[in-house]
Amino acid sequence: MYLKQINPFESAMKQFDKAASLLKLSASQIAMIKEPRRITEVNLPVRMSDGSITIFKGFRVQHSIVRGPAKGGIRFHPNVTVDEVKALAFWMTYKCAVVGVPFGGGKGGVVCDPDQLTPTELENLSRRYFAEMSDLFGPNSDVPAPDVNTNSQIMAWMFDTYSMHKKQFLPAVITGKPLELGGSEGRSEATAQGMVFCVEEATKLLGIDLKQTTVAIQGFGNAGSFAAKLLNEDGAKIVAISDVSGAYYNPSGIDIAAAFATCRSNKTWLLKGLEKKTKCEKLSDPMKLLELEVDILIPAALENQIIEENAPRVKARIIAECANGPVTPEADDILEQKKVFLIPDILCNAGGVTVSYLEWVQNRMGYYWSRERIQQDLEQIMKKAFDEVFETAKSHQVNMRIGAFLLAIDRVTKAAELRGLYA
Ligand code: NAD
């Protein structure tokens, strides 16, 4: 990862300003929808296994509740900052508007390294975070989900904590839960599946046969590993994958089943040792994965990966942003000049929040749909959103990112205007 520090919230604000200037919004309209509505910061005391107490910093940002309850994941990471969470919450508002699901935007973060915590410490921290924030959360006010380093088990602990506080069974307070506790079929792979629907549309538009493409994927967690699996099943050749243990490359194609087996065999979900288990080389500089000669590049890790410095060396024809904010605004301009077809995060990775929405609906009904039904709804929602973004971009002669923001900002602005101001 590049050491250069780029503030993701400043990047997000630049994206907003660029799109908002084309919509000619008034200062009051901008004031209503640009900055986060509420930022909460807490110090979380957690009893550690040796009996001592450690204080962890936690955040929850509600960027917007104009179109529905705040919605967005909770990230556990040693470097998470309030500005990162603000940016992620902002992107959630506009992501939900792009795909037309009735949510606002929110995001949470806890400064911690989950790999250094015992399972009990991780559970205590998860429960304490949810308890401290329980006035914010609720099926009609703020509905979190998993993000980097959080998973369905953590969602289960958080759901349980909330339900114990309220003395009711309230699964709709959080999504990404295990199936046994009201999780939805298809949620685990939803982010990657939504991306695949977008890539299918993009390759059609560009006249590329997906089965003939080569793919590089950065990040092999929830989004990245399913991206590799699904695109591999679609016939694309995955030539490079990476995670915090390094980047692995084989121009003839990586054995994805071996990659999953390696992750399962390691103590934590990591590709470590893959070069010894299957034919591939470990790149000396993992960032070089982003510059490989491939048709499709999928950043699926963290923000600020393609920046002004390395963007000129990107060779992919399509970039599908599974991660949030992997490309900075400066890099966007360079990629646009290079005629790279970029599917922006607020469209490309919206499959996750879309199936989270379907999970929330099922929880509220108490009736559960089949995997086929979920898949059908997801495909229909993603493809419609892709077409709408593409048409908006075409009619304004802008790139897909600005097209997505134009569509989404317009929807949020209209909702805000219709609600008016309660004073
Ligand atoms: P995760 O914790 O499951 O996986 C993150 C992966 O990135 C891991 O494999 C980790 O080793 C890797 N990684 C971290 N730093 C890296 C680096 N510098 N270089 C290479 N790999 C690195 O998280 P996730 O849920 O897959 O989220 C990944 C991205 O997708 C994030 O930007 C997240 O906000 C976004 N996203 C996730 C979802 C979802 O439903 N999980 C939905 C929308 C967007």
Side-chain angles (χ1 to χ4, degrees):
M1 173 132 37
Y2 279 91
L3 291 175
K4 184 171 167 178
Q5 285 305 314
I6 298 166
N7 184 324
F9 188 63
E10 284 172 16
S11 297
M13 293 298 94
K14 282 185 196 164
Q15 293 170 342
F16 179 93
D17 290 341
K18 201 166 177 181
S21 69
L22 295 173
L23 286 171
K24 303 198 174 20
L25 299 183
S26 70
S28 307
Q29 284 173 317
I30 290 174
M32 287 294 288
I33 63 166
K34 184 175 172 182
E35 296 271 342
R37 178 62 67 90
R38 180 184 284 131
I39 301 170
T40 308
E41 180 177 323
V42 286
N43 288 311
L44 306 165
V46 174
R47 175 88 56 202
M48 307 303 278
S49 304
D50 64 2
S52 66
I53 290 173
T54 300
I55 307 289
F56 294 89
K57 182 118 358 240
F59 309 107
R60 184 71 185 172
V61 175
Q62 295 179 341
H63 176 266
S64 171
I65 47 169
V66 169
R67 296 181 60 260
K71 184 86 191 83
I74 299 168
R75 176 171 293 192
F76 283 5
H77 198 277
N79 302 331
V80 70
T81 63
V82 70
D83 273 0
E84 183 180 31
V85 181
K86 280 163 67 180
L88 292 163
F90 163 88
W91 286 318
M92 286 307 298
T93 298
Y94 294 104
K95 187 182 304 181
C96 292
V98 164
V99 282
V101 297
F103 287 130
K107 206 82 181 191
V110 177
V111 186
C112 68
D113 183 352
D115 287 345
Q116 302 302 317
L117 300 175
T118 65
T120 308
E121 289 165 351
L122 186 63
E123 177 175 352
N124 291 346
L125 175 60
S126 304
R127 288 186 182 278
R128 186 72 197 206
Y129 173 80
F130 220 76
E132 289 276 354
M133 301 281 189
S134 64
D135 285 347
L136 295 176
F137 296 136
N140 294 318
S141 52
D142 187 340
V143 185
D147 191 70
V148 174
N149 290 329
T150 54
N151 55 25
S152 59
Q153 173 61 77
I154 293 176
M155 300 304 108
W157 289 327
M158 291 177 167
F159 144 75
D160 178 70
T161 303
Y162 187 79
S163 293
M164 289 297 100
H165 271 240
K166 301 286 176 191
K167 301 193 187 329
Q168 289 177 42
F169 188 85
L170 292 166
V173 71
I174 199 162
T175 59
K177 299 178 294 297
L179 276 178
E180 295 80 355
L181 288 173
S184 177
E185 291 285 355
R187 176 61 183 88
S188 313
E189 64 271 37
T191 304
Q193 183 63 70
M195 175 277 293
V196 171
F197 290 137
C198 291
V199 167
E200 285 172 1
E201 295 300 284
T203 47
K204 251 188 261 161
L205 273 173
L206 300 174
I208 299 171
D209 178 2
L210 188 53
K211 291 192 188 326
Q212 302 297 321
T213 57
T214 51
V215 182
I217 303 173
Q218 184 196 44
F220 205 73
N222 175 273
S225 67
F226 279 111
K229 181 173 182 284
L230 296 174
L231 284 173
N232 195 45
E233 285 168 4
D234 261 5
K237 194 192 287 175
I238 318 299
V239 297
I241 53 178
S242 75
D243 65 10
V244 285
S245 75
Y248 307 85
Y249 175 54
N250 179 353
S252 310
I254 301 234
D255 179 347
I256 298 303
F260 272 80
T262 302
C263 288
R264 270 193 297 270
S265 69
N266 283 325
K267 215 172 97 212
T268 49
W269 184 262
L270 279 180
L271 292 164
K272 195 163 167 237
L274 183 65
E275 76 282 14
K276 294 188 194 105
K277 300 205 171 158
T278 187
K279 217 175 140 218
C280 63
E281 83 175 92
K282 189 169 178 182
L283 299 179
S284 55
D285 176 3
M287 289 301 284
K288 290 291 170 202
L289 174 143
L290 303 170
E291 300 170 20
L292 290 171
E293 193 90 49
V294 289
D295 300 303
I296 303 170
L297 175 61
I298 304 178
L302 295 171
E303 303 89 54
N304 299 335
Q305 298 303 300
I306 303 175
I307 62 175
E308 202 171 359
E309 280 83 342
N310 61 353
R313 298 192 295 275
V314 168
K315 297 179 192 72
R317 292 181 67 189
I318 296 175
I319 296 181
E321 291 186 326
C322 251
N324 287 301
V327 177
T328 61
E330 295 72 23
D332 259 346
D333 293 342
I334 297 168
L335 296 172
E336 191 175 358
Q337 279 164 23
K338 283 163 65 82
K339 301 212 179 327
V340 176
F341 190 90
L342 185 142
I343 312 169
D345 46 10
I346 60 169
L347 166 66
C348 191
N349 69 36
V353 76
T354 300
V355 177
S356 272
Y357 163 60
L358 300 176
E359 178 174 336
W360 179 79
V361 171
Q362 292 170 88
N363 291 155
R364 294 163 74 96
M365 290 191 298
Y367 180 77
Y368 289 84
W369 295 320
S370 67
R371 188 177 203 79
E372 291 68 37
R373 161 80 200 255
I374 300 288
Q375 186 81 354
Q376 240 173 38
D377 283 5
L378 177 63
E379 179 167 8
Q380 185 247 321
I381 292 170
M382 291 304 300
K383 291 192 169 169
K384 178 168 178 274
F386 185 98
D387 288 348
E388 287 175 342
V389 169
F390 181 73
E391 288 307 323
T392 308
K394 201 165 79 176
S395 65
H396 286 81
Q397 294 183 316
V398 293
N399 63 33
M400 289 285 280
R401 186 178 322 277
I402 302 302
F405 272 111
L406 290 177
L407 188 70
I409 291 174
D410 185 53
R411 287 176 179 167
V412 177
T413 307
K414 282 190 177 135
E417 302 258 292
L418 285 165
R419 286 182 69 154
L421 197 57
Y422 174 76

